[in-house]
Structures are given as C-alpha cells and as structure tokens.
Amino acid sequence: MHIHADLTVYPETQGIHATFVVTDYPDEPWFLHDGLTMTQVTVDGQEVEVTRHLSSDPFPFSESVHLVEVHQHGSTMILDIDAEVNLISSELVELAAYCAWHPVFASFPAFDFDASVVVAGREGAVVVGGAAKGKEGYWKSVAPSVDISVFWSA
C-alpha cells in the first residue's frame, strides 16, 4: 500500500486541508477522525458513496475516531478532507495515526508514503516521520509504517 498526502495546515484557524491518494489498499473499512469532513471520495476516478459508522466501536486510541466504509473497491482511492480540529493551535500541530487524520485501515497494514506539507502563514519547523524541515517541504518514508506523523511548532 502507498499513501501520497498533500497537507496544508492553518494554525491560526485550527484548520487543515488534505488530499490523500491511496493505492494498492485493502478491501476493508478504515478509521477517520469524526471531526474531519470528507469533501470528496473517488475510486478509480469515479465519485463513490461512503458510510461513516459513528455508532460503531471507536478506534482503540480515541473515542472520536470511527470506521468509514467505501462502497466500491479499486486500485486507487482519492480522499479530500477539510476540518477544524483540536489537535492544531497557533503554536503547535500534532497529527498522527492515533487521531486518524489519514485513512487508517482496520487491519493496520504497513505502507509507504510521501507527503507534501505546508504550514500557512507561520514560520516554524515541521517534522514528518522523524525528519525536520522548515515550514513546508516534501517527505518520503524510509521504511513501511502504519503512520504519517506530522508535528509543527512555532
């Protein structure tokens, strides 16, 4: 499995916008934070129906994370999200698998990722997968993982 992430973080409004391109993914539901709005989900170029199971058992690490079921499977899924989430402040950003800011599949398969991250309007340092850069940059995983962790501090 591979996840490409384009992430823009807006510390002043506690917002994020992200697009994920997920390839070679398992045919199973995945977890996503309840506070994230899915603005579009496509599979192999076709917009698809999704169901959020907010009454299902929550994610093991957070009561605010539940399963999402996509009603079609293919080779490439694209997910757009927008949100204002409480893991972002004007001084600190902390996004990781435990808050399910990216699709976290139920079987927790390891994946490779690449990520383009921009922190809008603020200076500071971004750390993705343990590597630090300025307020924006591009990262690639060095080994399969179950997380894309993003941290930023002013």
Side-chain angles (χ1 to χ4, degrees):
M1 185 168 85
H2 182 87
I3 298 178
H4 168 78
D6 283 316
L7 172 66
T8 303
V9 179
Y10 304 93
E12 297 302 328
T13 62
Q14 296 184 316
I16 65 172
H17 173 80
T19 299
F20 303 100
V21 179
V22 186
T23 55
D24 301 321
Y25 59 96
D27 187 7
E28 64 186 27
W30 36 272
F31 291 98
L32 191 68
H33 193 280
D34 300 343
L36 300 176
T37 301
M38 293 178 285
T39 57
Q40 185 174 35
V41 180
T42 63
V43 172
D44 294 339
Q46 302 294 316
E47 194 161 351
V48 296
E49 180 182 344
V50 297
T51 302
R52 291 191 93 143
H53 295 283
L54 298 177
S55 61
S56 67
D57 289 336
F59 189 57
F61 308 113
S62 173
E63 294 287 320
S64 300
V65 176
H66 289 86
L67 284 174
V68 174
E69 183 179 2
V70 177
H71 298 282
Q72 182 177 332
H73 186 73
S75 61
T76 302
M77 177 178 63
I78 300 176
L79 167 66
D80 284 316
I81 62 167
D82 281 304
E84 292 182 10
V85 294
N86 63 0
L87 301 169
I88 296 172
S89 74
S90 61
E91 302 300 321
L92 178 68
V93 172
E94 181 179 347
L95 299 171
Y98 52 80
C99 67
W101 75 276
H102 60 79
V104 177
F105 286 83
S107 63
F108 296 98
F111 58 86
D112 294 312
F113 73 84
D114 63 295
S116 175
V117 180
V118 174
V119 177
R122 294 295 306 271
E123 293 300 323
V126 176
V127 177
V128 177
K133 296 187 180 179
K135 71 175 200 164
E136 61 185 78
Y138 176 78
W139 289 261
K140 290 181 80 168
S141 56
V142 294
S145 177
V146 295
D147 189 14
I148 305 172
S149 58
V150 177
F151 302 96
W152 168 82
S153 181

